[in-house]
Amino acid sequence: MDVFIIGITGGIGGLLARRLRSRGDVVHGLVRRDDQQAELAPLGVNARVGDLSSMTVEQLAAAFGVVDVIVFSAGSNGGSREVTTAIDGDGVVKAIKAARLAGVERFVLVSVLPESWRERNLGDEVECYFAVKKGAEGALSRSDLNWLILRPSLLLDGPGIGTVSLGPAEFHARITRDDVAATLVELIHEPRIGRQILELNTGTTPSEEAVRANVCS
C-alpha cells in the first residue's frame, strides 16, 4: 500500500513507518526540517518538508500526492493551547480538506481515549487538549471520507507485547506505542473497517486477530 503519515517523526508515526516499510509498503511523510528528511531517506521513506500549521490546503494536498491512505498521528501531547489548536484541531481539519482535494478517500486519525487521566487534577491546557481532540474527531466523523478513528490508552515507550484489546469501548489503562503501531498496520491493511471509532488497550489478543474481530459483517 501507499501510505502518507502526518506525524512521522513522532513516537507512533516513526514506529508505524518502520513496520509498514518492513511489510513492503510505500511510505511518505511530512517533516518540518531538511535534516529529518535526510534521516528518513535510508529507511526508504519519501518525506516532504513542510509545516502543517502554516501550509495551505492546496500545498498539503500536493504533498499527499496519490496515496491509498493518510494516517494522522501528529499531536501536541497537551502542550500550549496555541500549538494544540494548530496541530490537533486545525491541522486535522486542514488535512481532511487536503485529502478531499487530493482524491484520497481513506483517513486514519490517532486520537485519545476520553477517560485518559480523568482520575487526575488536570490543568487548563490538558483539558483544552481533550476538547480539541474531540472536536477533530467530530470533524472527521462528519466528513465524507472513509475514516477511522483509533483511540489508544495511555502511551508507553518500550517494546510491545504483541497482544491488545480492541473494540468500540475499552477500559483505559496503558499500551506501548509499539503495539499501537502494530495495530495500525493491521487496520490499514483491512479495507473492511471504515467509518468506525475503535478504542485500544493492552490485552491478550494478537493485533491481527483483534482487527479481524472488528470487521462489520
Side-chain angles (χ1 to χ4, degrees), residues 200-217:
L200 180 65
N201 195 16
T202 189
T204 59
T205 305
S207 298
E208 186 176 0
E209 292 180 23
V211 168
R212 284 203 306 266
N214 283 277
V215 174
C216 295
S217 57

Side-chain angles (χ1 to χ4, degrees), residues 127-150:
E127 290 290 359
C128 173
Y129 171 75
F130 282 105
V132 170
K133 283 286 192 185
K134 177 60 73 172
E137 289 186 359
L140 181 58
S141 67
R142 289 190 292 270
S143 77
D144 57 0
L145 300 177
N146 180 16
W147 55 267
L148 173 65
I149 296 169
L150 182 66

Side-chain angles (χ1 to χ4, degrees), residues 52-53 72 74-93 112 123-136:
L52 178 63
S53 62
F72 194 108
S76 69
N77 296 318
S80 71
R81 288 172 176 265
E82 292 77 12
V83 174
T84 294
T85 300
I87 301 301
D88 301 85
D90 296 343
V92 174
V93 173
V112 63
D124 291 342
E125 289 183 343
V126 178
E127 290 290 359
C128 173
Y129 171 75
F130 282 105
V132 170
K133 283 286 192 185
K134 177 60 73 172

Side-chain angles (χ1 to χ4, degrees), residues 57-179:
V57 170
E58 291 76 16
Q59 289 171 333
L60 187 56
F64 288 159
V66 181
V67 295
D68 299 308
V69 57
I70 294 163
V71 179
F72 194 108
S73 65
S76 69
N77 296 318
S80 71
R81 288 172 176 265
E82 292 77 12
V83 174
T84 294
T85 300
I87 301 301
D88 301 85
D90 296 343
V92 174
V93 173
K94 184 184 296 184
I96 292 169
K97 294 177 180 178
R100 279 203 206 96
L101 188 60
V104 183
E105 293 187 0
R106 198 130 181 256
F107 194 112
V108 179
L109 174 65
V110 181
S111 190
V112 63
L113 262 173
E115 294 83 5
S116 296
W117 300 344
R118 302 327 266 174
E119 73 280 4
R120 306 181 187 183
N121 182 18
L122 303 177
D124 291 342
E125 289 183 343
V126 178
E127 290 290 359
C128 173
Y129 171 75
F130 282 105
V132 170
K133 283 286 192 185
K134 177 60 73 172
E137 289 186 359
L140 181 58
S141 67
R142 289 190 292 270
S143 77
D144 57 0
L145 300 177
N146 180 16
W147 55 267
L148 173 65
I149 296 169
L150 182 66
R151 296 172 172 170
S153 193
L154 181 65
L155 298 171
L156 301 174
D157 291 322
I161 61 174
T163 55
V164 301
S165 185
L166 177 71
E170 295 291 335
F171 283 107
H172 171 247
R174 300 178 180 184
I175 189 167
T176 65
R177 290 176 173 83
D178 191 31
D179 281 329

Side-chain angles (χ1 to χ4, degrees), residues 16-44:
L16 175 61
R18 286 168 173 79
R19 284 183 173 273
L20 289 169
R21 288 294 299 135
S22 68
R23 191 161 173 158
D25 295 313
V26 178
V27 179
H28 313 267
L30 184 68
V31 297
R32 286 182 293 177
R33 303 191 309 268
D34 292 338
D35 63 307
Q36 294 172 321
Q37 183 183 50
E39 289 172 3
L40 289 170
L43 300 177

